[in-house]
Amino acid sequence: MRSTLFSLLCSLSLATSPAIAAAAAQRAPPPAVAGAEEAAGEHIALWPAGGVPGESGPARGLHVVERSADPARPDRYVDQIDAPWLVVHAPAQSNGKALLVIPGGGYQRVVIDKEGTALVPRWVDRAGYTLFVLRYRLPEAGRDRQAALADAQRAMRVVRAAAARRGLDVEDIAVMGFSAGGHVAARLATGYDTPAYPPADAADRLSARPSRAVLVYPVIDMGPQAHGGSRLRLIGEPADAALVRRYSMQDQVRADMPPTLLLHAADDRVVSVDNSLLMARALAAAGVEHELHVFAHGGHGFGMRAAADSTTALWPDIAQRWLRAQTQTQTPEGHP
């Protein structure tokens, strides 16, 4: 069995947050704020025009909401996503590494800034990563629950298809997900070869397996430790036992999934740290190389805005060192 490193700064076990009421989940989205725009950067449509699997009719227009009153600290999100896309942030001096970023939002929205644009100075400008930030489809009535997985698989294949042209290592494309986006990233890491959509073009002949996975305060469990809002929107309430198991990522761990890094705050009262603890135990049992770092403080959703003097603020350095240390791409035989 490969070695397991647990770096535990605190090992509190927290209760899960209460489930969000169904009525709240179904409320109409707030109006877009005047002047609110999507993130700057190159935008790439994920699917051929009119070819988003399972979608029919015209896609709704861009709906961006700004929640911050401070122009220096924007806090935007986007929802009503019918035609998913990638936002590319490319460095002036590339390190040759690509990172598929999947922001959170409780499966209700996709946040833009603290788990997206805020990554740019430290990850792109300083470290040289090329970031591909995913705007994925969210659960809605009549939409396949596998839509987000399909978008994540397709995103990995689109990035891989463009890697050589962009001067990126086709064998070293990692995924990093936050909160509910961490659940999507875990679904990709454990289900990269699950048939989630019919092939659209040559890119779909490529592997969707990430070289490694970074999960930051991830939603993992759909059972007792579930984030109520994510479970409600993805599988509904009362939750069917088969769906709970299918979408509880600790139950989907497999020996040939990529090495995984878990980062969580012990005082997270939105997505309990028990989610990462459950995942770490499952990874250890399957012999998957992994690390778990639990910080004493940070709460939920700290992203790139953790207190500067906290140990939690060190997580990007930990993640980047871990990514650099993984020198062997563990691609199972039969998966290019």
Side-chain angles (χ1 to χ4, degrees), residues 88-92 124-125 129-131 166:
V88 185
H89 301 289
V124 179
D125 299 337
Y129 287 89
T130 301
L131 304 186
R166 292 176 177 268

Side-chain angles (χ1 to χ4, degrees), residues 99-178:
L99 189 60
L100 174 62
V101 177
I102 308 181
Y107 277 119
Q108 185 176 24
R109 59 184 69 90
V110 178
V111 302
I112 291 174
D113 294 301
K114 66 181 177 180
E115 297 164 2
T117 61
L119 294 165
V120 172
R122 199 156 175 179
W123 286 84
V124 179
D125 299 337
R126 298 181 202 170
Y129 287 89
T130 301
L131 304 186
F132 295 81
V133 186
L134 178 60
R135 307 289 186 245
Y136 54 95
R137 284 173 293 164
L138 301 162
E140 290 186 1
R143 178 172 284 165
D144 190 341
R145 288 189 182 88
Q146 293 289 62
L149 174 60
D151 292 344
Q153 288 181 348
R154 174 70 179 177
M156 182 58 66
R157 290 168 173 141
V158 167
V159 173
R160 184 156 276 136
R165 173 173 56 83
R166 292 176 177 268
L168 302 171
D169 185 349
V170 69
E171 298 295 342
D172 194 356
I173 304 172
V175 65
M176 180 163 68
F178 299 81

Side-chain angles (χ1 to χ4, degrees), residues 176-189:
M176 180 163 68
F178 299 81
S179 194
H183 190 259
V184 178
R187 290 168 69 183
L188 177 65

Side-chain angles (χ1 to χ4, degrees), residues 221-247:
D221 187 41
M222 286 290 151
Q225 304 302 329
H227 171 245
S230 295
R231 179 172 62 187
L232 174 65
R233 296 178 190 104
L234 185 61
I235 65 177
E237 295 283 10
D240 176 80
L243 289 177
V244 166
R245 180 173 178 80
R246 182 179 183 185
Y247 290 99

